[in-house]
Amino acid sequence: MNTPVVFIHGLWLHASSWQPWSDLFAERGYDPIAPGWPGEPETVAAARSNPEAVAGFGIDDVTNHYAAIIRGLPTPPVIIGHSFGGLITQKLLGLGLGSAGIAIDPAQIKGVKPLPFAQLRSAFPVLSNPANRRKAVSLTLPQFRYGFGNAIPDAESDELFNRWTIPSPGRPLFEGAFANFAKNSPAAVNTGNTTRGPLLLISGQRDHTVPDVVTRAAYKLYGNTAATTDLKQFPDRGHSLTVDAGWRGVADHTLEWLKR
């Protein structure tokens, strides 16, 4: 039986953006799936035409959604998530779900203290309006260039924007931003779970949305556990590293890490 792989996207990218990864992992003998978030329509066009379908969902809602999918699989899967999908990956692994986890440019978990200006600027389109907590929010093309495409040519960033972006719920960003001020934050992760599967954290060192210092701070939170935790930093890569022209280098590294 092939090992299942569950891909989890983050805010503003549709689940279908994982298709090149799914094809590659299938070629390597895995059994990949890339389910959307709760309420997410099946296509980019449908998601854009019905933004309210995803409005209001928070971190716990998304975690429970993927936990139910994982529990329905025949064997524990590898879980691979990007951005808020990386945060969800860590939560699921901390709950004892999955055989291994890979969190790529993962959104800030509770306990991470650095809050760089670039991260605040990337989140400003949502956090600037408290009403966005209950809404679905879309990025403009310039906002996507800053948050995702700052390390690639503008033309490539614009092509990715037109191909993959969808409205996303604002609630997870509010939950993440105030995680360290909430006693029972949904952004909390059981970093002390010594029986969980191995975890690889990946950062793009030019990322504006989740700067490298944020991923490194998350890595340090795992320092007191005996469970395997590794960190890989990609220089000159931004938040688009899973979907831009350099995606294959990131995917190949994950495959090599899983093989080890």
Side-chain angles (χ1 to χ4, degrees):
M1 181 179 295
N2 294 341
T3 301
V5 178
V6 176
F7 290 103
I8 307 176
H9 68 83
L11 298 178
W12 298 304
L13 294 180
H14 191 266
S16 58
S17 64
W18 283 116
Q19 192 61 53
W21 287 68
S22 293
D23 293 342
L24 176 62
F25 273 69
E27 290 172 6
R28 298 296 180 86
Y30 291 92
D31 188 10
I33 58 172
W37 282 30
E40 182 180 317
E42 291 188 6
T43 67
V44 171
R48 290 172 177 170
S49 66
N50 186 20
E52 294 309 305
V54 298
F57 288 109
I59 292 172
D60 281 342
D61 299 313
V62 181
T63 302
N64 292 336
H65 171 73
Y66 283 101
I69 292 171
I70 289 169
R71 290 188 176 105
L73 295 175
T75 58
V78 173
I79 309 170
I80 301 177
H82 172 246
S83 197
F84 264 95
L87 184 154
I88 303 300
T89 295
Q90 293 176 79
K91 285 184 67 72
L92 292 167
L93 208 62
L95 291 170
L97 298 172
S99 59
I102 299 167
I104 305 170
D105 288 345
Q108 192 163 345
I109 65 175
K110 182 178 174 65
V112 169
K113 296 180 180 178
L115 194 61
F117 172 78
Q119 183 180 12
L120 289 172
R121 180 176 168 181
S122 297
F124 185 76
V126 176
L127 298 180
S128 60
N129 184 356
N132 285 336
R133 184 183 181 94
R134 299 183 300 276
K135 297 179 178 180
V137 183
S138 298
L139 293 182
T140 65
L141 189 143
Q143 288 166 349
F144 183 85
R145 280 188 184 181
Y146 182 83
F148 281 75
N150 62 291
I152 57 177
D154 288 348
E156 183 182 1
S157 177
D158 295 352
E159 192 277 330
L160 295 174
F161 175 86
N162 291 325
R163 185 176 185 184
W164 298 125
T165 57
I166 60 171
S168 291
R171 185 177 169 188
L173 267 177
F174 283 91
E175 292 173 334
F178 298 101
N180 290 334
F181 304 98
K183 182 178 180 181
N184 297 309
S185 169
V189 170
N190 182 7
T191 57
N193 184 348
T194 60
T195 62
R196 63 162 171 82
L199 172 66
L200 172 63
L201 298 169
I202 293 177
S203 74
Q205 292 186 290
R206 290 183 60 190
D207 193 331
H208 282 169
T209 298
V210 184
D212 177 64
V213 66
V214 173
T215 304
R216 286 190 282 113
Y219 174 67
K220 291 178 181 178
L221 293 177
Y222 289 95
N224 293 326
T225 177
T228 297
T229 310
D230 293 326
L231 172 66
K232 171 62 178 179
Q233 296 162 290
F234 283 91
D236 300 322
R237 301 304 303 278
H239 205 59
S240 66
L241 80 174
T242 59
V243 292
D244 62 33
W247 72 270
R248 182 61 186 264
V250 183
D252 284 343
H253 182 84
T254 67
L255 286 163
E256 291 167 7
W257 180 83
L258 287 168
K259 186 176 181 179
R260 290 198 302 270

